[in-house]
Amino acid sequence: MSILVDERTRVVVQGITGREGAFHTKQMLEYGTVVAAGVTPGKGGREVEGVPVFNTIKQAVEEEGVNVSCIFVPPPFAADAIIDSASAGLEVIVCITEGIPVLDMVKVASLLKNEKSVLIGPNCPGIISPGKTKVGIMPGPIHKPGPMAVISRSGTLTYEVVYQLTGTGLGQSTCIGIGGDPLIGTTFIDHLKRFKEDPETEGVVLIGEIGGTAEEEAADYIREEFNKPVIAFIAGQTAPPGRRMGHAGAIISGGQGKAEDKINALQAAGIRVALNLGTLGETVQKVMEKS
Amino acid sequence: MSILVDERTRVVVQGITGREGAFHTKQMLEYGTVVAAGVTPGKGGREVEGVPVFNTIKQAVEEEGVNVSCIFVPPPFAADAIIDSASAGLEVIVCITEGIPVLDMVKVASLLKNEKSVLIGPNCPGIISPGKTKVGIMPGPIHKPGPMAVISRSGTLTYEVVYQLTGTGLGQSTCIGIGGDPLIGTTFIDHLKRFKEDPETEGVVLIGEIGGTAEEEAADYIREEFNKPVIAFIAGQTAPPGRRMGHAGAIISGGQGKAEDKINALQAAGIRVALNLGTLGETVQKVMEKS
Amino acid sequence: MKLHEYQAKDIFGKSGIPVPNGQVVTAVDQATRATQIISGPPWVVKAQVHAGGRGKGGGVKVVHYPYEVVTATESLLGKHLVTPQTGPEGVTVNQVLIEEGIEINREYYLSMIVDRSTACPTMIFSQAGGMEIEEVAARSSELILKEHIDPAVGWMMHNARNLLYSQEPPPPVGALSALMSVMANVYKIFMTLDCTLVEINPLVLTKDRKVFALDAKVDIDDNALFRQKELLLLDDPREKDPLELMAEKYHLNYIRLDGNIGAMVNGAGLAMATMDVIKMAGAEPANFLDVGGGASEDMITKGVEIILKDRRVKAILINIFGGILRCDVLARGVVAAAKKTSIRVPLIVRLEGTNVKEGREILRNSDLKFLVARDLGEAADLVSKQVS
Amino acid sequence: MKLHEYQAKDIFGKSGIPVPNGQVVTAVDQATRATQIISGPPWVVKAQVHAGGRGKGGGVKVVHYPYEVVTATESLLGKHLVTPQTGPEGVTVNQVLIEEGIEINREYYLSMIVDRSTACPTMIFSQAGGMEIEEVAARSSELILKEHIDPAVGWMMHNARNLLYSQEPPPPVGALSALMSVMANVYKIFMTLDCTLVEINPLVLTKDRKVFALDAKVDIDDNALFRQKELLLLDDPREKDPLELMAEKYHLNYIRLDGNIGAMVNGAGLAMATMDVIKMAGAEPANFLDVGGGASEDMITKGVEIILKDRRVKAILINIFGGILRCDVLARGVVAAAKKTSIRVPLIVRLEGTNVKEGREILRNSDLKFLVARDLGEAADLVSKQVS
């Protein structure tokens, strides 16, 4: 009833001794996540919230059998942290860090082609399988277990959507923030494929925004291969071209990445696109009731 | 009755207007190889031995449907030529060039992880499926079609072996020179796997030499997975440590790469190792008669 | 971070990409001297502004007499230039580039970006140079060629050849190596300076087969400026909106727009969606403002102040989904802002999430006049009422 | 191409890897001056030869008085140094490096190579520094740690941390960043100078947590010298065997060995196999000689001459499998050599392949005395007869 992370997940927090790392380690532990280790180079041997700190990912793997990492290290060191985790063979790498240089991500992407690790993010809220584990910074209590999957390029917008879903009684199997950067580890399609195989997921809410063509590609995939109801929302209909709207990846450039084109592509693929965020929860409820 | 290259093979010669490229284009054509195109940047539009010359591999693919390349370009430009062919999607890339800088090959190897092309060489005589096609510089007439596969790190030594095989009446399915450099595109194991699946190949002659551990790894593979007779020969039993014996890859260093260790590993895996090159042909014949 | 044309050409020149001789002037009296140093006629006088579409806005003048260089400079310096990419108020021209005119035989388009779907640095080349590349893409996309560069191997000569030999007709033999060198240098600049864009449009060939970058655009990855310290010196804050510049100082993500409803939101996606809600309610958003997850009380105060500095704003919608940013922090920040600046317009507040009760309590107990929206739907209705 | 220790340390110093102060001298009278510039006692006087195992051969002396620096220099300069890696005749010492002595607290081993099986630049690190790394590998391989570097991403800090924090105990905190910097610089040198080996053994830590490269080995990829032209200046041909040097000039692949049967073969693999045939016949190969696929008549002549210059040679086995190298070219070259130099030893010739008839004909019609072997088996028999 979830993908990628669940009760089996043993998290290592990279940058655990930093302010954000420590805060969210506490939050994750409170949610019930097994945070088995932390890593901060040079601070091995300490503890944060009762979690042992190691100098390297390698040691955290050897000593604590961690299989998922959650990265809070500052942008100049984040690519190193991702590659470190990938080289150590972690299954899932969640990178919260915002502001990683694009050319660092070019390197990361090149390396990940040859590794089995799944990278969520960077510049994302993380991933949560409600009731099981939360790897990231989303507020836990707004979630509840259930049949809806959520895939989103955004953070708080996702919380808003989840809040509405939970409000209408629709719980979630897994919610993933794939990240707001132009180069991210996974696409909508990567996760749609996983949700397709997840028997407990009954429908998907896809939250896109301006910039790039990921939503258009997802629309093609859904039309051709996806067999569960999808409800989409696209943020940025009023965003002007050429400006980065907060997210590094949210920019209309060279005539590409407009909300309008995305909405058209999704609708042409037969996907219900909610235009009004205020009533998105109700819209999802209606679609799911029909199906 | 062959692997990688056969009647379907349409060769593009990279560096066709050079002395060696032109000479061996003629030789290949005489053998019956379909040399469909040549590439020399800036010399597009010419002809060499009746073969049309293009400026880029891309054009050769588009115009002539080539699927295998044979590279004769000088060492400083050879890595570029390999990567060009790989990016253009060629199935097999045979690189004859000797003397490519090791760090260029590091780049090539890294790129090839993500491409489907099979690289034979560099610093190799090429590949021949006798009676069908020859992509390389080996003397064609010493070969004859038959059941023996030959995989070798060497050039003339391979000709010697093939000459002896043909002399004893044993023809060849495919003979591959994998190259004498420390970094080469394919290993003994890569081809053993292909020969395992080739119904017409009845036995394999494996010709190794000092340097690296490719023979030891092949021995492990053969013991565990290979089901046809293998006869091995290792050159360099009298080679001193620390010296490169002609081939860039033929060097005993750090206590590794000795002929003795290779012979021991092969014998321990139950493989017949011919110690006397002079009677190798007879040895193969005996082993094949028994099997 | 955008560079000016003259800054980008300076980088080009140092990297071996040929550019026309030129000189940047900031005062009219420097123009005469420039004509004495720079060969001409003709000369080209170009306004140095970050906004694109300069030519259409009259920011580029080709002149044939030295006195015309002076009058052209005079007509541009200190003036407001309105281009398709500026607002109607335009941008002030603070610098002018005076260049030798180059006789053009052929015009190419050349640029480098990071392609999002392949995650590779990608070179884009077209024989349809000198036009808007978006228009070329829309009209005849077959004229636009791309080479994806694998970061493990970097730029290789076959990348250049694939682009050049695909032209019909291919560039003349004498110009091939110069073009290949420009391409290799563009890649090098892109990688070593952490660029998000390097663009040469047009890249021209003269009759005697010389190659020149006639225009130059270089954008630097803001996230990489920590390791590109010397490029920081090239930043020209005069090109930015004063309110955006102020927001930057307080680490607020603010973008000024043309509407009349201000918005303050946490999170970029939610901020965009809130702008859309405003639009659907029949109004126009006056700004994008993402205060971020870690906003402090002070940042909230500054955010309200900046929104209000835009005199067009008729109402403000605050939409906060408390996560890491707690609703009580937001409320305190808004109350503090009200104490500093009189909030002269209606305030619509929608709070949800962490510490929402405390937040609402703080607002209720303040002198502040504000309208509470229980959800986004209600917020939209309230916005709608403000503009009707 | 091998560099001398002092050359390698010069590169290290310029790249930011700390090395002891030192000076290379080529004459005894420079030694006194060196002691005045270089702080001591103690001083270390080191013979500069390419051959390894210097220490065991008495090529490294630690001394405590200035006059000892002079006597140690005197005892090395111009002398033949015999090490486990030279022949019994040793190598001549032409240069001596005089260095300040460093007080050693801990010794590490650090090197970088290209790993053949992963095709990746690989750093090797061990806390068992100052010993032969092969011995450490054989005795306690768990002490040898490796980091493979993906060429797409290059050296990253976690690579260094994986090596350093795996030590038991890890290096002291004060030395960590210095060690990480050495590692990053070794990688940089390796990649930018096209090295096949960079080795620091030992890399030492002093009591006050300073880091020094006490020894330095840098080998350059011969195939990359076309783009490392400035390194060519560092080549020291005096370190090479004179016959090998001569062969190099004629593009012949010749390696001098200790035996008494010369061999001339086309192709490296066949040349090695022919040496093995000689050995199995009860003799010892005097050399490896691959004349290559494209050998000319002149190159063959030079090859024969070079083999004969080795006075230990009692017979020559020529084994040619004609492919691109035609047998007639070979034969003409051998005949020409016989005209120039008297061939004083028996010549065993085995020819096969392209133009074999013409080749045999040419030999038969010459004044040359030679023995024909129809195949390799017969060649072995003939060799056997020569030594029995």
Side-chain angles (χ1 to χ4, degrees), chain B residues 24 76 99 101-104 110 153-154 156 159-160 163 212 236-238 240 243-247 249 254 275 277, chain D residues 116 119 134 151 191 221 223 226-227 244 255 257 266-270 273 275-276 279-280 288 321 324 350 352 376:
Chain B
H24 287 290
V102 175
L103 290 185
D104 284 7
S110 171
R153 285 170 62 189
S154 173
T156 40
Y159 313 160
E160 172 76 41
Y163 179 76
Q237 298 176 57
T238 52
R243 303 298 308 263
R244 293 194 187 276
M245 305 304 281
H247 287 157
L275 297 175
L277 179 61
Chain D
R116 289 167 76 135
E134 288 84 356
M191 298 303 283
D221 183 357
N223 288 336
F226 69 87
R227 62 185 176 205
E244 293 184 11
I255 294 173
L257 302 170
N266 63 328
L270 191 58
M275 283 163 47
D276 298 346
K279 174 85 170 184
M280 289 191 75
F288 166 94
F321 198 100
I324 311 170
R350 186 266 176 154
E352 201 51 74
L376 263 182

Side-chain angles (χ1 to χ4, degrees), chain A residues 76 99 101-104 109-110 153-154 156-157 160 163 212 236-238 240 243-247 249 254 275 277, chain C residues 116 119 134 151 191 221 223 226-227 244 255 257 266-270 273 275-276 279-280 288 321 324 350 352 376:
Chain A
V102 175
L103 291 184
D104 284 8
S110 171
R153 286 170 63 189
S154 173
T156 39
L157 178 53
E160 171 78 39
Y163 179 77
Q237 299 178 56
T238 50
R243 303 299 307 265
R244 291 191 190 279
M245 304 305 281
H247 287 157
L275 297 175
L277 178 60
Chain C
R116 290 168 75 136
E134 288 85 354
M191 299 304 283
D221 183 356
N223 290 334
F226 69 88
R227 63 186 175 204
E244 293 183 10
I255 295 174
L257 301 170
N266 64 328
L270 191 58
M275 282 162 47
D276 297 346
K279 174 88 170 181
M280 290 190 74
F288 166 94
F321 199 99
I324 312 170
R350 186 267 177 154
E352 200 50 73
L376 265 182

Side-chain angles (χ1 to χ4, degrees), chain A residues 20 23-24 75-76 98-107 109-110 113 137 139 142 153-157 159-160 163-164 180-183 209-213 217 233-240 242-251 253-255 275-279, chain C residues 2 114-121 134 149-152 190-196 221-224 226-227 244 253-257 265-277 279-280 284-285 288 290 294 319 321-324 350 352-354 375-377 380:
Chain A
E20 277 203 69
F23 174 76
H24 288 291
E98 177 175 3
I100 303 178
V102 175
L103 291 184
D104 284 8
M105 283 308 299
V106 164
K107 287 183 181 184
S110 171
K113 281 186 206 159
I137 61 173
I142 60 171
R153 286 170 63 189
S154 173
T156 39
L157 178 53
Y159 312 160
E160 171 78 39
Y163 179 77
Q164 290 188 28
D181 273 1
L183 301 191
E209 61 189 33
I210 56 161
T213 55
E217 287 149 26
F233 177 81
I234 304 293
Q237 299 178 56
T238 50
R243 303 299 307 265
R244 291 191 190 279
M245 304 305 281
H247 287 157
I251 181 168
S253 67
L275 297 175
N276 191 337
L277 178 60
T279 55
Chain C
K2 286 173 188 285
V114 171
D115 178 60
R116 290 168 75 136
S117 38
T118 59
C120 282
E134 288 85 354
I149 310 306
D150 192 297
F190 188 87
M191 299 304 283
T192 53
L193 298 188
D194 271 303
C195 300
T196 52
D221 183 356
D222 291 325
N223 290 334
F226 69 88
R227 63 186 175 204
E244 293 183 10
N253 241 318
Y254 171 91
I255 295 174
R256 195 175 184 177
L257 301 170
V265 191
N266 64 328
L270 191 58
M272 275 188 274
T274 304
M275 282 162 47
D276 297 346
V277 163
K279 174 88 170 181
M280 290 190 74
E284 289 286 338
F288 166 94
D290 165 18
N319 181 21
F321 199 99
I324 312 170
R350 186 267 177 154
E352 200 50 73
T354 317
D375 56 33
L376 265 182

